[in-house]
Each structure stands twice: as structure tokens, then as C-alpha cells.
């Protein structure tokens, strides 16, 4: 039987773990990865970053349009993005995979392969994990990182330039395309949604440049910008400066989307949003492979993007739990 | 509305996280816990242990008989047990909670409280987490630990004494009682199942005593003992020496259980099973609060408990994924 004919109940928990273990790398000297009660690794020196995130079938992904590989990749990427948003370098990952017994073996192994591929992409050691039974597929990944100077969400001051890497709105555009059954027609948007690129290298460069505060754009620009503005701070962001994903601009009419709203409210772009002294933005921009755009400035007034307050924009955005 | 009347969809993701954050401790100097993209903590010196485990509603717990607090406690305890089984001290935890929107707020907050209580019990800093939407409740916890000398699963030699802390079979007895709707009649067994005690202190003492190999009893004695015997090794375990949980012995007739089989095959006791030089067991036994029992020895022959091979016993045990 091929991996695609059988399901994980035929394979069994231990064999599934064995097969996934074959996909991951080899431990360093004195280290012990998967196969014991806990992994043993060398502790990073100085600050240790820790983050954890779960992706759930039917909420964060849908196997009608995502492969197992893509699910695994994204589960790891979102954690790497969190480490990048602190200005850190991701070091280790552990993963917990929950699958219904009727899950195709090929899907479960695909998730393992996606985790391993993404780990390799960002130089992360995938050192261990766990498989459980469940009624829906979910993948939880915890990542460690190291950093010299953590860049937190607090720290912005009036007059700071507000900057963002890369482009916005592509991931939400991709989700809209996939939900409309048109993922193949818009491969760039599809990739933005299913195979996000965490800005690992950029996060380190931004921290080195002395940025005052940073977050990754997971809940959408309006929501995440709000997290960078402590009480008493506002912002002035210019809609015509927003780096809207060019593929989204092209696809928007066919997908029935407003590109600007999608770029402001759509989540999961995993770009880095940060505040820094305006006169240092030019030098930094030249360093960042993903590019960066100054989209506005921190003020002492209202928090607004164009004519709408952040609050008004956020009301359009997505709270995982709130009923609508 | 009280926490028990409303559900998490009324509360929303961010407010749920805020309420859980209030339950956890305060960061050390230079540390930053929950509330940013990743937690920033001081790295333990030397070896870093990493482990992750998920508990899933309907598989690992059932809210018909477990409270949210008990679910949270167990989700953390099973990870502390993994660190203990390496001879390590647990240091940090991060948790990811997935809940359906219709989950009662009291249940979700109870899980948070259980995580925080268990963290406090074992001196673990619960430094961050994440809340997701799902169609069944699951809790994933990742724990870091430190240890001087990791005690792995390999390392047993012929002639080693096989030892186990505490007692066996109580957790499986508790599960049987709960499933029969008789948890209240057997409170000790109920506790063994729902509020397991990870042997954190004992694990460190066992490592210091020079034990050759160690594992925690999560899948059952027969299965976990198998993990300590590399190719070419066997064991001789004496059924009449097994430290069967006295509450199980009392309850067994009413619950329709065979105490010996339950002690050998039942899982989730989270006792520590280890191999060491026979002449050092006496001194160690005097040190361990949970007590310990020498149950047999490592041989070069067959692997057996009483008249049955480990394989025969294991066939009775529980593979999370295999259909039955």
C-alpha cells in the first residue's frame, strides 16, 4: 500500500513517529534529539526566546486546498516569525501533531516533511515531538531562539517612523482565492497564504539597526499596529504609501476584494512592522532583502490609517473566537 | 454573567488571554513573559531539555468527569514527568490552548488555573502561550529543563536492578472508575488519573545516584520497560514484587479489574522506571519521598514479566492510533 492509500490507524503511533524521525537532521555532539523522554540540546547563551503556536484544521488551514507539506511548513513558519519579531534567531523546534485515525498516512507524513523543510529553511533544529489522536488535525510547534537585545512591542516614541517589510494583503488575497476554488489561478497569492516566508534575517537586521519596537503582522496591519502604540500614542499612516502586494492588486477585481482594505485588515502576511528613528530608515532599507517601506509616523494624537481610526479598521478584522 | 454562564465566544480571544495572564507569576529581572511575540527568559546553563505533549478532549480527558483545572494540571504534569525522566529540573513552560467557541469561560479559565497551579507546584515558570479556536479542546505544553547529566533510555546492562518509584495501576484504575461513573467512590484512584504527580524531585535524585537508564511510565509498565531494553537485552520481573496501588487492590473487584494486569498494562502512572547497579538501590530508596521498589533485573535472555513476554503484555496495551 502506498502512503496515500493507507491511513495512520494502520501505521500506528510509534511507526508514524519513526517515519517522521527519519526526516529530521542529526544531533550535534553531546546532543540527543527525538527518541527519549525529552530532547537534550546545548542552551543558547544569554537570552532564551520561547514561543508556541497551534494551527488547526478548518480554522487555520483546510486540507481541501492545502497539502500536508504546506500545513507543516506554516506551523513552523509562524513560530519563526514570532522569534524574528523579537529580533532573535530561531534555534530549536519541538512539534506536537494531533491526527484523527482516519488521516491519510501521506498527509501525516507530509506535515512532518513540511516541518522538516521549514526547519531546514531557517536553520532551526527540529529536535523532538509527539503524536496524539484527535478528531481534527492540529499542529503545535514551540520554538526557542536567541537574541542579544530583544525588540519588544513597547518602545515606540512620537516622531518614530513606522515601517513594514515586504508587502501586505497577499496572504488574505490567497485565502480568498483558495476559498473561491481559484488557488491555481493565483499561485503567488496561494503561496503567500500557504507557504509564508518568516522574515528571520530581516528581524535580526532590524534589531541591529536600533529599532524601538517590533511585531509581526499576523492579525492584520490595523490590529498589530495597535499593539505597538501604548496608551497616549497615536499614528498617522498614509494609505497611498502602503506596500500592497502587486499580485493582490492584479487579482482583486476578479476576487471581489478591495486591495487597500485587504492590505490593512487581512492577516497572516508575517511581515515585520516596526518603529524607529526616521533618519535611520534609509540605511536599513538598503540592507533588507525583503525590502521595507516607511508607511507613516508615531504621533501623540489619534491612531489612524487614512480617514479611519485603527479601531474602525480593527472592527473589520478577525478575532479567532468572537462570534459574528 | 458568571464565568460558568458565558462561553469563550462572548469573551473573545484577547480577553481570555488577558485573564489567563493574570494567573501566572511575574518575570525575573531582565525577563519578559507573556504579552509579546515571544517570551524572553534567561537560558539555563549547560544542557537544555525540551519536550512537548498534547492532551486532547475525548482521548486524554473527558469534561464529563474532569474539571478544567484538572485538565490544565495534567497537561503540564506530563511534561514535567518527561523532564524528570531525563534526570532534569523543569524550568519554563509555554502552553497553547485550543477551544471551541462554545466552551464555557469557566472551563477555559479553569484550564489556565490548572496550568498555573501545576507550574507553581514544580517551580516552573509559565512564561507564555497562545489561544486558538478548534472544534475540540486540546492543550499543548512545551517545557524546558536543565540537567547536569541526562539519563537516557539506553544504558542498561545485564545484572542491573530494575526499579520503579511509587505505585502502579492507580491511574488506569481511576480511568475505569471514572468511565463507570464511580469517580467519587474512589477518590484516590480518581486523583491518580486526573491530578498525576510528576516525580520531579525523585528524577534528580535518581540521576545523582548514577542510574544507567530511565523512562516515565506513561504507556504502561510493559511498554515502557521495553523502551529501556536495547537489542540483546531481556528482563526478569517478578509479578509479586510489583508495587500495585493499594487503592486499586481494594477497588478492583468492584471495578471488574485484575489488579496485576492493570498495574502492568495500565498507563499514565507517571512513575519513574529505571535501571541501576543493584548494590546502590538501598541508599537511593531511603532518599526518595515517593518510595521505590526493585521489581526485577536486566538479563541477556527473554524480556518477561512473570510467565508472559513483554510482547504479550504489550499486545494488551494502548496505542493511541491503532484501530481495535
Amino acid at each position: 500500500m502506498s502512503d496515500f492509500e493507507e491511513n495512520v490507524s494502520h501505521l500506528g503511533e510509534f511507526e508514524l513517529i519513526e517515519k517522521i524521525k527519519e526526516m529530521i537532521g542529526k544531533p550535534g555532539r553531546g546532543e540527543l534529539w527525538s527518541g527519549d523522554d525529552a530532547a537534550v540540546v546545548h542552551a543558547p547563551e544569554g537570552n532564551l526566546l520561547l514561543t508556541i503556536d497551534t494551527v488547526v484544521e478548518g480554522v487555520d488551514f483546510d486540507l481541501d486546498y492545502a497539502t500536508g507539506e504546506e500545513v507543516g511548513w506554516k506551523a513552523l513558519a509562524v513560530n519563526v516569525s514570532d522569534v524574528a519579531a523579537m529580533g532573535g534567531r530561531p534555534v530549536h523546534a519541538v512539534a506536537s501533531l494531533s491526527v484523527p485515525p482516519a488521516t491519510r498516512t501521506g498527509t501525516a507524513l507530509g506535515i512532518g516533511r513540511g516541518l522538516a523543510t521549514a526547519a531546514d529553511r531557517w536553520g532551526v533544529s527540529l529536535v523532538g515531538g509527539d503524536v496524539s489522536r484527535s478528531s481534527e488535525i492540529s499542529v503545535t510547534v514551540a520554538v526557542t531562539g536567541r537574541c542579544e537585545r530583544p525588540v519588544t512591542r513597547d518602545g515606540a516614541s512620537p516622531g518614530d517612523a513606522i515601517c513594514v517589510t515586504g508587502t501586505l494583503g497577499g496572504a488574505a488575497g490567497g485565502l480568498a482565492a483558495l476559498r473561491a476554488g481559484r488557488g491555481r489561478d493565483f499561485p503567488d497569492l496561494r503561496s503567500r497564504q500557504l507557504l509564508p516566508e518568516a522574515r528571520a534575517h530581516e528581524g535580526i537586521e532590524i534589531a541591529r539597526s536600533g529599532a524601538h519596537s517590533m511585531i509581526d503582522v499576523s492579525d492584520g496591519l490595523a490590529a498589530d499596529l495597535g499593539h505597538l502604540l501604548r496608551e497616549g500614542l497615536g499614528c498617522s499612516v498614509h494609505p497611498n504609501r502602503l506596500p500592497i502586494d502587486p499580485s493582490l492588486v492584479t487579482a482583486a477585481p476578479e476576487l471581489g476584494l478591495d486591495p487597500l482594505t485587504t492590505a490593512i485588515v487581512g492577516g497572516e502576511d508575517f511581515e515585520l512592522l516596526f518603529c524607529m528613528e526616521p533618519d535611520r530608515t534609509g540605511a536599513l532599507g538598503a540592507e533588507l532583502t525583503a525590502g521595507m517601506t516607511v508607511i507613516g509616523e508615531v504621533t501623540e494624537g489619534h491612531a489612524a490609517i487614512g480617514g479611519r481610526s485603527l479601531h474602525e479598521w480593527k472592527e473589520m478584522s478577525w478575532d479567532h473566537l468572537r462570534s459574528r
Side-chain angles (χ1 to χ4, degrees), chain A residues 60-311:
Chain A
D60 301 292
F61 64 88
D62 193 324
L63 288 173
D64 286 347
Y65 54 67
T67 65
E69 281 82 352
E70 289 163 338
V71 172
W73 172 285
K74 187 165 176 177
L76 198 120
V78 299
N79 282 282
V80 170
S81 181
D82 279 328
V83 168
M86 301 300 290
R89 184 170 70 77
V91 182
H92 312 102
V94 286
S96 183
L97 172 61
S98 298
V99 287
T103 304
R104 283 177 178 177
T105 302
T107 301
L109 295 179
I111 293 172
R113 212 153 30 232
L115 288 166
T117 307
D120 195 51
R121 164 73 179 81
W122 288 294
V124 173
S125 301
L126 180 60
V127 300
D130 168 56
V131 172
S132 314
R133 193 175 55 173
S134 59
S135 65
E136 66 195 348
I137 299 180
S138 75
V139 190
T140 303
V141 177
V143 165
T144 73
R146 59 177 295 181
C147 72
E148 291 158 35
R149 185 183 72 88
V151 183
T152 67
R153 294 181 179 185
D154 299 327
S157 301
D160 278 0
I162 301 172
C163 311
V164 68
T165 60
T167 62
L168 295 172
L175 185 60
L178 289 164
R179 285 182 172 165
R182 302 201 54 196
R184 284 189 193 180
D185 299 337
F186 304 105
D188 294 350
L189 296 180
R190 185 185 189 283
S191 280
R192 282 302 302 240
Q193 170 58 222
L194 298 179
L195 293 169
E197 277 293 327
R199 300 304 186 189
H201 172 73
E202 286 78 1
I204 294 168
E205 290 294 326
I206 293 165
R208 279 195 191 135
S209 78
H212 297 160
S213 62
M214 179 153 54
I215 191 170
D216 65 332
V217 182
S218 54
D219 294 331
L221 177 66
D224 292 318
L225 184 51
H227 294 305
L228 293 183
L229 302 173
R230 62 172 193 276
E231 187 103 15
L233 290 184
C235 66
S236 166
V237 170
H238 313 292
N240 57 1
R241 288 202 205 154
L242 292 182
I244 304 178
D245 190 307
S247 301
L248 171 65
V249 175
T250 309
E254 277 196 75
L255 294 171
L257 296 174
D258 174 55
L260 180 65
T261 306
T262 307
I264 293 173
V265 172
E268 302 195 290
D269 287 313
F270 301 105
E271 298 294 354
L272 296 174
L273 179 68
F274 55 101
C275 300
M276 67 187 300
E277 313 240 332
D279 58 7
R280 303 178 78 164
T281 56
L284 176 61
E287 293 291 319
L288 299 186
T289 315
M292 66 167 259
T293 309
V294 179
I295 61 172
E297 63 175 347
V298 178
T299 67
E300 290 175 285
H302 295 292
I305 300 177
R308 277 205 186 109
S309 73
L310 282 194
H311 183 75

